[in-house]
Amino acid sequence: MARIVMKFGGTSVANLERIHNVARHVKREVDAGHEVAVVVSAMSGKTNELVGWVQDMPKVAGANSPFYDAREYDAVVASGEQVTSGILAIALQSMGINARSWQGWQIPIRTDSAHGAARILEIDGSDIIKRMGEGQVAVVAGFQGLGPDNRIATLGRGGSDTSAVAIAAAVKADRCDIYTDVDGVYTTDPRIVPAARRMKKVSFEEMLEMASLGSKVLQVRSVELAMVHKVRTFVRSSFEDPDAPGMGDFLNPPGTLICDEEEIVEQEVVTGIAYAKDEAQISLRRLADRPGVSAAIFGPLAEAHINVDMIVQNISEDGSKTDMTFTVPSGDVQKALKVLEDNKDKIGFDVAQSETGLAKVSVIGIGMRSHAGVAAHAFQALAGKSINIKAITTSEIKISILIDGAYSELAVRTLHSAYGLDKN
């Protein structure tokens, strides 16, 4: 007998028929004698609908400002998961399984005060552990917790993944299964590269890089939590027949295991290729080359919650002026330019230039630590396709390359083939 946390995303619970299918997946694990907790998202499209209602209400009411109380936003959007958890509990009860729904505040999942993007501070899993030990399935509404003000706080889009991993850590689960609309983690997006392969295992570090660099399989914070608490996490498909051969295999179910690096015997030099479109580049020209200038630039941007990624600074010839180039999401360009203009006197640049429509393509692999020439191989492969590189950043296990967005898919295919990831 083991303790398992199962998480099902929006497409997996999109309607009553799919919720019944989810219940069959849960029943399989219960029948095998496992203690089970289930974390659910809102039904597909429901959160977007709820967010739309919140955003439209000030307009309908004739308010001069489009802003709304973030605490009320949380109260509204968290209701989607509440519905799903109750419906799934009813489905399980209808199949003869002892189940009850739990909201974030009932566990409780304690969060900070950042309504709309709260972070989990602690979870008291004792009550759920007791109920699971008595044979009851806990069906938990994901995406939500209880803030310091005793109000519902949501964890940001994709937060149900984080809920699941955090609960798995709190109840000391043997495994956390993330069920989604894909059957695992692939070497790259199979829609771009049909030869992309599903990986059997991937390390926490590699998955964290892939999630942060464009892979949409898991939310970044959920991978961070899994890595910190060493929660063995399987990415699986909810659309597989719950009773298909191998689905009940505890040690090696179909899907991809995200685990500690030590569990991976044969480490590939390159594990996968990730990409992110809609990147933008901002360049500050003839910037004063003096101590503190970087802080003057990136401090205000951080305060404005603008995520800066790749940073390149040119070396000045006379030590007085330099250029600074960095990337931000395309949607934040105008906001970033305004922040920079507001702080122009303090920063000391002549002109700020921007370019949108760029893409970031990343090569990821823990094997890079012990192999030389990985970056050079990428540059040669892209040069062979006449793809111009605008910026480069590297770490121990990744190389990120900024290029024109029009060449993103060609670059992904080229690099995937260059590192032999097309081969079985």
Side-chain angles (χ1 to χ4, degrees):
M1 185 181 74
R3 187 174 292 160
I4 300 174
V5 173
M6 308 170 72
K7 183 267 175 178
F8 294 89
T11 54
S12 302
V13 294
N15 52 47
L16 296 185
E17 289 73 22
R18 288 189 181 177
I19 291 175
H20 175 251
N21 188 61
V22 164
R24 291 177 60 210
H25 280 288
V26 176
K27 184 176 186 299
R28 180 191 64 236
E29 304 298 351
V30 172
D31 289 346
H34 302 312
E35 295 180 359
V36 179
V38 188
V39 177
V40 292
S41 298
M43 298 167 77
S44 181
K46 181 55 66 176
T47 301
N48 287 339
E49 181 182 25
L50 295 170
V51 170
W53 289 353
V54 171
Q55 292 175 339
D56 289 344
M57 192 65 250
K59 304 173 191 173
V60 173
N64 294 325
S65 170
F67 295 106
Y68 44 79
D69 189 331
R71 295 166 297 184
E72 303 305 341
Y73 168 94
D74 278 354
V76 174
V77 300
S79 65
E81 282 72 17
Q82 180 172 328
V83 170
T84 311
S85 61
I87 294 293
L88 178 55
I90 291 171
L92 291 167
Q93 292 165 3
S94 301
M95 298 166 72
I97 296 172
N98 180 10
R100 67 152 284 191
S101 63
W102 296 73
Q103 310 312 308
W105 60 268
Q106 292 175 307
I107 296 173
I109 298 173
R110 301 281 181 183
T111 74
D112 63 18
S113 59
H115 283 278
R119 299 186 77 88
I120 295 174
L121 300 179
E122 63 175 345
I123 298 177
D124 182 357
S126 57
D127 203 2
I128 282 186
I129 291 172
K130 177 177 176 290
R131 298 294 188 96
M132 291 168 71
E134 296 169 353
Q136 186 178 82
V137 174
V139 185
V140 182
F143 178 58
Q144 60 178 251
L146 184 67
D149 54 1
N150 256 11
R151 296 185 60 126
I152 292 172
T154 62
L155 308 180
R157 300 306 292 265
S160 292
D161 285 348
T162 301
S163 299
V165 173
I167 289 170
V171 303
K172 295 179 171 56
D174 298 283
R175 203 176 74 203
C176 180
D177 291 354
I178 306 290
Y179 285 83
T180 181
D181 53 3
V182 295
D183 60 354
V185 181
Y186 280 73
T187 49
T188 195
D189 189 339
R191 294 170 299 180
I192 293 178
V193 183
R197 295 178 290 109
R198 186 180 73 193
M199 294 179 276
K200 289 184 179 180
K201 293 181 179 181
V202 61
S203 73
F204 290 126
E205 286 183 276
E206 289 170 320
M207 192 66 234
L208 183 59
E209 292 285 8
M210 293 178 77
S212 64
L213 294 169
S215 174
K216 306 298 183 186
V217 177
L218 288 175
Q219 192 209 41
V220 175
R221 275 197 290 164
S222 69
V223 184
E224 289 175 344
L225 273 176
M227 182 166 65
V228 168
H229 296 285
K230 295 192 181 301
V231 177
R232 299 175 84 249
T233 305
F234 273 93
V235 176
R236 308 180 62 178
S237 172
S238 64
F239 298 115
E240 295 276 355
D241 184 341
D243 301 318
M247 288 297 286
D249 186 337
F250 179 74
L251 293 177
N252 295 294
T256 299
L257 172 63
I258 304 167
C259 59
D260 196 89
E261 184 179 334
E262 295 174 358
E263 285 195 54
I264 303 174
V265 179
E266 295 185 13
Q267 297 177 352
E268 299 287 342
V269 176
V270 171
T271 300
I273 312 295
Y275 72 97
K277 294 183 177 179
D278 295 324
E279 294 285 311
Q281 176 178 278
I282 294 176
S283 297
L284 300 180
R285 304 299 184 191
R286 294 176 294 282
L287 184 71
D289 191 5
R290 54 177 169 76
V293 70
S294 295
I297 296 170
F298 300 115
L301 291 174
E303 290 172 5
H305 305 291
I306 296 170
N307 183 38
V308 174
D309 185 17
M310 309 173 83
I311 303 172
V312 178
Q313 182 175 358
N314 294 338
I315 300 173
S316 60
E317 292 184 6
D318 60 2
S320 62
K321 297 289 183 181
T322 186
D323 293 338
M324 181 83 77
T325 299
F326 54 91
T327 62
V328 299
S330 287
D332 286 340
V333 170
Q334 294 307 316
K335 183 179 178 182
L337 290 173
K338 185 179 186 307
V339 169
L340 293 169
E341 193 62 35
D342 290 344
N343 290 272
K344 185 174 183 178
D345 292 341
K346 182 179 178 182
I347 298 169
F349 62 90
D350 280 358
V351 63
Q353 300 171 335
S354 64
E355 182 180 2
T356 57
L358 305 179
K360 178 175 60 181
V361 180
S362 303
V363 179
I364 301 156
I366 52 179
M368 289 187 194
R369 290 175 176 152
S370 55
H371 287 78
V374 179
H377 193 47
F379 305 151
Q380 290 167 359
L382 295 177
K385 297 293 183 180
S386 300
I387 298 174
N388 186 45
I389 298 172
K390 293 179 174 289
I392 303 162
T393 58
T394 63
S395 74
E396 270 194 318
I397 66 167
K398 74 110 191 294
I399 304 156
S400 290
I401 300 164
L402 190 69
I403 61 173
D404 283 325
Y407 297 101
S408 60
E409 294 189 6
L410 174 61
V412 169
R413 289 193 295 267
T414 299
L415 294 173
H416 194 269
S417 178
Y419 289 107
L421 297 177
D422 293 347
K423 301 173 184 176
N424 293 325

